[in-house]
Each structure stands twice: as C-alpha cells, then as structure tokens.
Amino acid sequence: MNVIVLENASAIGQAAGDMVCELVSRRPNAVLGLATGSSPVPAYRRMIERCGAGEVSFREVTTFNLDEYCGLPAEHKNSYRTFMREELFSQVDIPLGNTNFLDGNCADEAAESARYSRALEAAGGVELQILGIGRNGHIGFNEPGEAFTQEAYKVALTPSTIEANSPYFTDRPMPAYAMTMGVGQILRARKIILIATGEAKADAVRAMLEGEITPRCPASALQGHPDVTVYLDPAAAGEASI
Ligand code: F6R
C-alpha cells in the first residue's frame, strides 16, 4: 500500500480530491465508489471546488455508494442518500440518475444484493473507490467477523460503530442494521483511496497496514490489493511504521 502522511484533513482532501478529478478529466465517464462519514468530506469539497471552477465535470460519471442504513426513510436527514446529496451531488453537475445506492429498506436483501452486483457489473465495475475506516477496522459497514464477506448483505452494526455514529442521530436512535457492499466487492475496484484522520483511527490503521490479514480487521484485506493509496494525518498514522 502506498501510504502518504499529510499535515491535516484539508491537505488530504485536496490531494485525494485532485486524484479523483484527474481520473475524471482523463475518463469523463468513470465509475466511482463513494463513502460517507466525515473522512471523505474534504475530498468532496475539493471536487466541488474544481467542478465549480470548470476544471472538471461529473456529468457522465456514475457512482456507487458503499452502504446505507436499514429502517430509515430515504429522505431522512441521516440517510446516506441524503448525506451524499448534501455533501456532493447537489453541488456538482452529476445527474442524480447516475448515482447508485443499496436500498436499506428492501424486503429481500439477497435480491437487493444481486441487483447491486448486476448494476455494478453492467457499469464495468468501480474504477476508483474512496474508503474511510472504522475505529474497529471496518470498511464499508463490514464489521470484524469470522470470514471476509463477498457481495452486498445486511449487517448488524457493532457497539463500536453505534457509539461512533450515534452522535449524528438527534431525532431517533441510530439504526442497528445496514446494507453494505462486501469486502470482496470492494477489492474488485481497480484503484482504492483510503482516508483516515485523528487519533481514534490509529489502532485500526496500524492493524490494516501491519497486522495479519484477517476478517477480524476487514481493512487488512486491502494488503492484498495492488493499487491502494492511504492518506493519513499524523494522529492516524500514530505508531504505524510507514
Ligand atoms: C461509510 C463507511 C464507513 C466509514 C467509517 C469511517 O460509508 O463506509 O466505513 O468510512 O465508519 O467513518 P468516519 O469517516 O465518519 O470516521
């Protein structure tokens, strides 16, 4: 993995956002895999800035988001669909019809997973995947477990994830379940950027970079991917020997 430590989240956002913009300038119809949460927001701001300046257009880009909560109306302020609309889609020129999400309210999760796999395949797969990492080493919402997951599925969120994300929920308790792309699916992206900032991520980052490849740290699976760039601030880099 190519590990780059930059001074802060905004420098990381600039570098990661520029990587996305350069890809889209070269290939205007690129397929992007996107994450929610705080880590990618500065990169999204950079993409918005460069789109606003006319340096890049997302008109022909297709996106697939990693995950979505179960049991939240799609229009709820904490749904990942709403998050993406507010933090990126409404501020660039991508048509909303080009953006794809797992349906957290699906009645049949196997059918929903198959639908997402088919859509991904029909789009030619993800060219560039943006990831954050959970304090417990999750990527997407693939929580630590006994086996690496493959295609999308419904996951029970762990206490660590519920503790990390609950503060965002002010009008109701955070959902206990989510639909997420599987680790196998994430690894099929041709190129991956992972962003981690802050001390709370240092243990997970160390396990991802230096630990054994094990489903107990889902992000460790990235060690087996040929093209991963990891952007860290000094606090997240912690004691990892980089
Ligand atoms: C969200 C996602 C999660 C987050 C992770 C880190 O779509 O896939 O894996 O990337 O929970 O969240 P933040 O960036 O909020 O610390």
Side-chain angles (χ1 to χ4, degrees), residues 143-159:
E143 302 284 36
E146 295 310 314
F148 284 120
T149 54
Q150 294 305 321
E151 306 305 304
Y153 66 105
K154 182 174 178 174
V155 60
L157 300 171
T158 59

Side-chain angles (χ1 to χ4, degrees), residues 3 32 34 38 46 61 83 89 92 102 105 112 121 124 157-158 161 201 209 220:
V3 182
L32 303 178
L34 300 179
S38 58
R46 179 69 171 168
V61 164
F83 178 98
F89 299 153
V92 294
L102 282 158
N105 295 315
E112 175 58 4
E121 215 169 286
L157 300 171
T158 59
T161 299
K201 301 291 175 69
L209 296 176
S220 66

Side-chain angles (χ1 to χ4, degrees), residues 34-40 65-67 80 131-135 138-141 161 165 168 195 201:
L34 300 179
T36 55
S38 58
S39 305
N65 261 80
L66 281 169
D67 39 24
Y80 282 165
L131 294 177
I133 182 172
R135 298 172 195 180
H138 73 213
I139 48 175
F141 268 145
T161 299
N165 289 8
Y168 296 111
I195 298 171
K201 301 291 175 69

Side-chain angles (χ1 to χ4, degrees), residues 39-57:
S39 305
V41 168
Y44 296 158
R45 298 231 166 102
R46 179 69 171 168
M47 289 155 63
I48 291 164
E49 182 187 315
R50 293 195 57 179
C51 183
E55 294 171 11
V56 65
S57 168

Side-chain angles (χ1 to χ4, degrees), residues 20-204:
V20 178
C21 291
E22 271 139 40
L23 168 70
V24 172
S25 298
R26 261 186 289 118
R27 206 192 298 269
N29 61 351
V31 177
L32 303 178
L34 300 179
T36 55
S38 58
S39 305
V41 168
Y44 296 158
R45 298 231 166 102
R46 179 69 171 168
M47 289 155 63
I48 291 164
E49 182 187 315
R50 293 195 57 179
C51 183
E55 294 171 11
V56 65
S57 168
F58 295 89
R59 249 190 321 270
E60 294 173 41
V61 164
T62 300
T63 65
F64 286 85
N65 261 80
L66 281 169
D67 39 24
E68 181 58 283
Y69 289 116
C70 296
L72 273 192
E75 299 310 317
H76 189 272
K77 68 181 176 61
N78 289 114
S79 79
Y80 282 165
R81 207 177 266 275
T82 300
F83 178 98
M84 289 307 304
R85 213 168 33 232
E86 286 178 354
E87 298 294 341
L88 182 65
F89 299 153
S90 66
Q91 301 188 64
V92 294
D93 55 354
I94 190 166
L96 279 184
N98 291 9
T99 67
N100 293 276
F101 287 85
L102 282 158
D103 178 3
N105 295 315
C106 61
D108 179 344
E109 56 189 90
E112 175 58 4
S113 169
R115 179 195 70 80
Y116 215 55
S117 295
R118 276 195 308 273
L120 268 162
E121 215 169 286
V126 169
E127 209 145 339
L128 174 59
Q129 174 70 55
I130 296 182
L131 294 177
I133 182 172
R135 298 172 195 180
N136 61 4
H138 73 213
I139 48 175
F141 268 145
N142 294 280
E143 302 284 36
E146 295 310 314
F148 284 120
T149 54
Q150 294 305 321
E151 306 305 304
Y153 66 105
K154 182 174 178 174
V155 60
L157 300 171
T158 59
S160 156
T161 299
I162 290 177
E163 187 192 327
N165 289 8
S166 278
Y168 296 111
F169 285 81
T170 50
D171 65 338
R172 51 155 290 155
M174 178 181 151
Y177 291 87
M179 288 290 293
T180 182
M181 281 169 66
V183 171
Q185 214 161 26
I186 292 170
L187 290 179
R188 289 202 290 276
R190 261 100 68 199
K191 187 176 186 61
I192 295 176
I193 297 176
L194 184 141
I195 298 171
T197 55
E199 200 185 336
K201 301 291 175 69
D203 288 346

